[in-house]
Amino acid sequence: MTRMRTTPILTSVFTSLALLATSLPTLAETSPGDAKSPPRHGIAMHGQPKYPEGFKAFDYVNPEAPKGGTLRLAVVSNGFDSFNPFDVRGVAAAGISSYLYDTLLVPSDDEPFSAYGLIAESLETPPDRSYVVFNLREQARFHDGEPITAEDVKFSFDTLTTKGHPFFRNYYAGVSKVTIESPTRIRFDFEETTNRELPLILGQMPILPEHYWQDRKFGENGLTPPLGSGPYRIGEFEAGRSITYERVKDYWAQDLGVRRGRFNFDHIRYDYYTDDTVALESFKAGNVDFRLESSAKNWATAYTGEKFNNGTIITEAIEHHRPTGMQGFIYNTRRAVFSDPKVREALAYAFDFEWANQNLFYDQYTRTDSYFENSELASSGLPTGRELEILENYRDRLDPDVFTERYAPPAAEGASGLRQNLRTAMTLLQSAGYGFRDAKMVHLETGEPLAFEILLFQKSFERVVLPFKDNLAKLGIDVSVRLVDSNQYIQRVRNFEFDMIIQVLPQSDSPGNEQREYWHSSNVDAVGSRNYMGVSDPVIDELVSLVIQAPDRDELVYRTRALDRVLLQGHYVIPQWHLAKDRVAYWHHLERPAITPKNGIDLDNWWVAP
């Protein structure tokens, strides 16, 4: 499952490449029911959903939260040039997809992966999940008053998988047939019965109005506000600088259990800043209401003064229990310089996390050693039990270290820690055919120097990168650091025009079809995919399929741990750090629910104090 969240450091680009074999017939002649698949109000990936039919509201919201007021937020970026978040071209304005467009189902934030009806009043799927039927609510409406029909659902599926972001083609690749059975009933059939996630992730699909788009080109709407059905519509905006969303006062779903207590602000305004320091000062001056702090230095030093002492501005580090994923130095293994795993492993010994944590981060962070950090999905120790059984099927194709070495990123503890690490790096480089010539690290056969560029868009990360660069220089490795604006960065990353970047690879508590985007060989050359590293390994392809096909929660955990372990031993990243808390600062007129779900804070549950 992909859950759209703003990561603490970077916003990941959701993409992938997969060929979608679909048949999209028009109105079906019959609409047979299925006695084995009675309508249900919600669905869990494994087991049963927590909330009963007709529930009043999610436990982590305040169903009596007052409506009103304005929420002002800051975006650190070079602006936006599009109101279409589903197209690979351009940079979409913040908030568009979640505020403008409703989906068939809505996930809860206090379960691993369960979803409940929004546009769909109910769904039907058999035990083998070979298909899903969505029964749409009669009252579901677009902002112009037109009803949301099965034709709109089909149109959305067709448009997103053929004209939209490559992510959708891969995410819904398992759909073999779409059948409209009535204006309020639509059926999706699947190619196989092992992809149990498909009914839930189809529920995540944003529903577009066919009547609006029939006379418009999907990828060329620019900054013309589109028609939606969600809790907000686009109000005032200044191209590239600000956008305000206006709450839809007669929003069709406002009294449903999945919406009650949410989307409480009358207006939500995003202002764009090109510098985070300016954004921080604007927050402290009262021009921004809420800030999620990503800088350890800022958290330790910048939130002081009378306004903080007297409670005018509140700061909290709110614990969460969601997987933090992987943040790290990402190797682009498409580049010859990083094609050898021994080289990638060697360079990791030059990153001194312990020094950075003590001298830059005020000891706030913990070293990351899993792609599924902060969850039961993370591998640890040596493989045993069911996880070992899974890996044994690939023993002859895996590095022996997968079975014999506990993965841990290099640590530089003690006075001589870094020096010892650099010696280890030198040994690994020599085993990969490198050596010194004229004080430079070169490949002894080709004479090619070991040199690369680190691409950044946040100047604040130079303080992390430059010490790493200096350590590599001690090995005779030339590293250049290039700082570009956010728009250029996005385009270069989409086209894999980089040697190394710093990136967050977010994860949910229920990994599934989105794993193809990160690791599957079919996405190595897919423009815009999240396979930033260029992973292309048949074993990893098979492990990804096993994760997607997991029949129950226990098996999902074992299979994900096996995938995690193989990825770690592939040395595709140099892991950095994580924090199992959301560091937030907000002005005292904002209030939040008493319960914080396992996935952490969600501003859409907050409100302005009366």
Side-chain angles (χ1 to χ4, degrees):
M1 179 196 75
T2 292
R3 189 183 294 272
M4 305 293 183
R5 294 190 64 90
T6 303
T7 62
I9 308 297
L10 304 170
T11 302
S12 293
V13 182
F14 292 158
T15 54
S16 62
L17 181 67
L19 295 179
L20 180 63
T22 60
S23 172
L24 301 176
T26 55
L27 191 66
E29 295 180 359
T30 61
S31 56
D34 189 335
K36 296 181 181 179
S37 308
R40 60 177 80 177
H41 73 289
I43 183 172
M45 179 62 189
H46 301 112
Q48 298 299 318
K50 169 184 175 180
Y51 293 93
E53 185 172 0
F55 69 94
K56 181 180 180 181
F58 291 124
D59 289 347
Y60 49 84
V61 306
N62 173 10
E64 308 304 325
K67 306 290 187 185
T70 297
L71 175 67
R72 299 166 300 169
L73 301 171
V75 180
V76 180
S77 168
N78 284 82
F80 60 91
D81 57 13
S82 170
F83 287 153
N84 188 344
F86 312 119
D87 187 72
V88 73
R89 294 165 292 183
V91 178
I96 287 277
S97 58
S98 58
Y99 291 143
L100 241 66
Y101 298 99
D102 278 333
T103 53
L104 294 167
L105 305 177
V106 174
S108 64
D109 282 343
D110 56 355
E111 300 173 81
F113 189 17
S114 293
Y116 302 86
L118 179 55
I119 292 176
E121 184 173 28
S122 65
L123 70 152
E124 303 165 26
T125 187
D128 65 0
R129 296 194 182 178
S130 56
Y131 69 86
V132 65
V133 173
F134 293 105
N135 300 302
L136 310 187
R137 297 183 192 271
E138 297 280 357
Q139 71 267 35
R141 291 288 187 274
F142 292 107
H143 293 158
D144 63 355
E146 288 294 312
I148 301 174
T149 69
E151 290 282 359
D152 295 306
V153 178
K154 173 185 175 296
F155 169 79
S156 302
F157 179 87
D158 193 6
T159 301
L160 293 171
T161 57
T162 59
K163 301 177 183 178
H165 207 286
F167 163 76
F168 293 103
R169 286 199 292 275
N170 189 58
Y171 207 38
Y172 300 133
V175 176
S176 61
K177 184 180 180 182
V178 182
T179 306
I180 295 175
E181 298 188 342
S182 81
T184 58
R185 183 177 170 89
I186 187 167
R187 172 171 170 150
F188 294 84
D189 285 278
F190 308 139
E191 291 180 345
E192 55 186 39
T193 60
T194 55
N195 194 337
R196 296 182 56 80
E197 190 182 51
L198 276 172
L200 289 91
I201 64 174
L202 278 167
Q204 297 174 335
M205 182 170 60
I207 304 306
L208 311 174
E210 182 182 24
H211 67 281
Y212 173 84
W213 288 104
Q214 62 185 359
D215 298 323
R216 295 172 171 86
K217 291 187 177 180
F218 183 70
E220 300 178 12
N221 211 43
L223 291 176
T224 300
L227 177 66
S229 62
Y232 292 88
R233 58 167 58 93
I234 295 175
E236 295 181 351
F237 67 91
E238 188 174 354
R241 300 186 65 180
S242 69
I243 181 172
T244 298
Y245 296 95
E246 299 175 347
R247 187 168 64 84
V248 177
K249 297 298 177 64
D250 59 348
Y251 175 44
W252 72 270
Q254 61 187 352
D255 293 325
L256 297 179
V258 294
R259 287 298 195 233
R260 191 175 286 115
R262 289 173 53 75
F263 307 111
N264 301 311
F265 303 104
D266 278 350
H267 299 90
I268 300 176
R269 176 185 172 96
Y270 290 92
D271 286 299
Y272 281 70
Y273 298 81
T274 57
D275 186 274
D276 188 59
T277 301
V278 177
L280 173 58
E281 293 307 313
S282 186
F283 165 76
K284 293 197 286 187
N287 300 317
V288 177
D289 297 311
F290 173 93
R291 180 175 168 88
L292 178 66
E293 184 54 69
S294 62
S295 167
K297 180 180 179 181
N298 284 348
W299 190 249
T301 64
Y303 295 89
T304 60
E306 183 179 354
K307 293 175 183 176
F308 298 92
N309 294 336
N310 64 23
T312 302
I313 301 178
I314 299 167
T315 59
E316 293 185 277
I318 303 172
E319 187 176 358
H320 66 77
H321 299 280
R322 66 178 181 268
T324 56
M326 172 68 76
Q327 178 180 306
F329 294 99
I330 305 293
Y331 296 109
N332 183 357
T333 65
R334 301 169 187 83
R335 304 290 211 215
V337 67
F338 294 142
S339 61
D340 189 334
K342 287 295 183 185
V343 173
R344 304 196 297 266
E345 182 181 3
L347 301 190
Y349 283 88
F351 175 55
D352 190 344
F353 165 76
E354 287 70 27
W355 179 90
N357 199 32
Q358 181 178 353
N359 292 279
L360 303 178
F361 304 141
Y362 299 82
D363 284 321
Q364 292 183 34
Y365 293 123
T366 302
R367 189 73 188 271
T368 296
D369 60 4
S370 168
Y371 286 91
F372 301 88
E373 191 67 64
N374 199 42
S375 78
E376 65 175 345
L377 302 163
S379 61
S380 62
L382 295 177
T384 59
R386 176 60 184 143
E387 182 190 348
L388 179 59
E389 288 180 13
I390 295 167
L391 293 170
E392 284 289 358
N393 295 318
Y394 310 102
R395 182 180 281 272
D396 61 341
R397 292 187 282 166
L398 289 173
D399 189 314
D401 287 353
V402 170
F403 300 91
T404 60
E405 298 292 332
R406 183 186 75 85
Y407 176 82
E413 297 176 344
S416 61
L418 178 61
R419 192 159 52 248
Q420 293 290 343
N421 280 354
L422 293 179
R423 290 196 188 103
T424 302
M426 186 67 219
T427 300
L428 287 166
L429 289 171
Q430 288 172 338
S431 70
Y434 283 88
F436 278 109
R437 283 184 185 169
D438 300 324
K440 296 295 181 183
M441 185 66 66
V442 300
H443 196 278
L444 297 178
E445 281 190 13
T446 66
E448 192 73 23
L450 182 49
F452 61 92
E453 176 186 272
I454 302 177
L455 183 69
L456 301 175
F457 79 92
Q458 290 176 304
K459 188 174 178 60
S460 60
F461 261 94
E462 287 183 336
R463 67 195 186 116
V464 176
V465 169
L466 293 180
F468 179 46
K469 173 185 175 180
D470 291 343
N471 292 340
L472 290 169
K474 296 172 184 176
L475 294 169
I477 300 171
D478 286 331
V479 177
S480 59
V481 179
R482 176 170 295 189
L483 184 67
V484 299
D485 65 52
S486 59
N487 290 355
Q488 184 180 353
Y489 180 88
I490 289 171
Q491 294 305 321
R492 287 189 60 174
V493 171
R494 282 176 177 171
N495 291 280
F496 311 119
E497 296 173 355
F498 63 88
D499 297 333
M500 177 181 281
I501 55 175
I502 295 175
Q503 187 74 3
V504 174
L505 306 175
Q507 292 290 348
S508 78
D509 200 31
S510 183
N513 287 264
E514 79 287 344
Q515 299 302 307
R516 289 196 191 102
E517 271 198 88
Y518 287 127
W519 331 116
H520 202 278
S521 58
S522 63
N523 292 317
V524 169
D525 298 318
V527 172
S529 88
R530 283 187 286 180
N531 190 346
Y532 308 115
M533 298 88 80
V535 179
S536 182
D537 183 331
V539 172
I540 291 175
D541 288 351
E542 292 180 36
L543 288 172
V544 166
S545 294
L546 286 179
V547 168
I548 294 171
Q549 297 166 6
D552 53 51
R553 179 68 186 179
D554 286 345
E555 192 66 12
L556 176 66
V557 171
Y558 294 133
R559 295 179 183 191
T560 304
R561 289 175 181 173
L563 172 63
D564 185 36
R565 192 179 300 278
V566 173
L567 288 168
L568 291 168
Q569 293 292 357
H571 304 288
Y572 297 106
V573 306
I574 302 175
Q576 292 184 344
W577 54 80
H578 67 276
L579 181 68
K581 294 180 180 179
D582 291 319
R583 296 174 298 207
V584 300
Y586 56 95
W587 285 72
H588 72 286
H589 61 269
L590 294 183
E591 294 188 351
R592 64 183 182 91
I595 298 174
T596 300
K598 67 186 298 292
N599 285 327
I601 62 164
D602 183 348
L603 270 179
D604 293 329
N605 300 335
W606 292 36
W607 64 91
V608 172

